[in-house]
Amino acid sequence: MVTATTLFQRTTGPLGAPFLLLGGSLGSNLDMWKPQLPRFGDRLRVVRYDHRGHGGSPIGPGGYGIQDLGRDVLAMMDRLGIERASYCGSSLGGMVGLWLAAHAPERIERLVVIATSAHQPPAEGWLERARQVRAMGMEPVADAVLGRWFTPRFRAALPARVAPYRAMIAACPAEGYAGGCEAIAAMDLRADLARITAPTLVIAGADDPATPPEHGELIKRQTMKSRLVVVPNAAHLANVEQPEAISQLITDHVID
């Protein structure tokens, strides 16, 4: 078993409020959730974290899978004294959330997964992307990633809002990004979906080229207590492109 990595995290919100963990997209860091923080207000105790090899989290040993990223989160919860929490993950973070809800159901109160998939072949495409960033770094792929994160209309209309996210991609450690690609290449969580008992909200961006809504439809069909919402005018980082709608959906789901 791969040793758990100590994840970089930031905790905000009042003591005693329900815990919500936020796990981000491949290539992002915890700042991708900034649009949600003012909208959550004082209703949630929010823990944003960086996946291993992303943002402020160390890369750790190589050769890890989604299950190891999930165990990193469980170790973080133990370190922070969090017995049980709701979890919201986007993209790679959503894959981690599916694993957590299936394999540590006693730790996950409610689950939100955004722009994610239980299985995303072909593996060779992810492995080629990993080879590319190891050889060339992140700067050459930043514009292509940005094109999946946001719709053309959003990028054209709000370049100042998009610019920090391009910088985020370019600053992601290449080895951390490559390790995430390899974890996705090896991932197949389809058989785990029926094990998820936490009430689950699946959110898809209507214009997401990376994980189109049919990925969310599969998750919805194979999990017991779930519903799917397709958000219009949103690509892969739907929480940034449609912050009001996404924040409201998350809050309504995790707070009774």
Side-chain angles (χ1 to χ4, degrees), residues 153-188:
R153 180 185 300 178
F154 186 79
R155 297 197 311 272
L158 296 167
R161 283 181 59 186
V162 170
Y165 292 92
R166 190 193 187 284
M168 184 184 293
I169 298 163
C172 181
E175 186 57 37
Y177 188 89
C181 289
E182 290 168 342
I184 295 171
M187 175 196 70
D188 189 350

Side-chain angles (χ1 to χ4, degrees), residues 96-111:
V96 173
L98 294 173
W99 185 90
L100 286 166
H103 292 270
E106 72 284 359
R107 309 298 297 272
I108 303 301
E109 185 75 34
R110 291 173 176 266
L111 177 66

Side-chain angles (χ1 to χ4, degrees), residues 196-210:
I196 296 175
T197 56
T200 300
L201 172 63
V202 184
I203 301 174
D207 304 308
D208 184 357

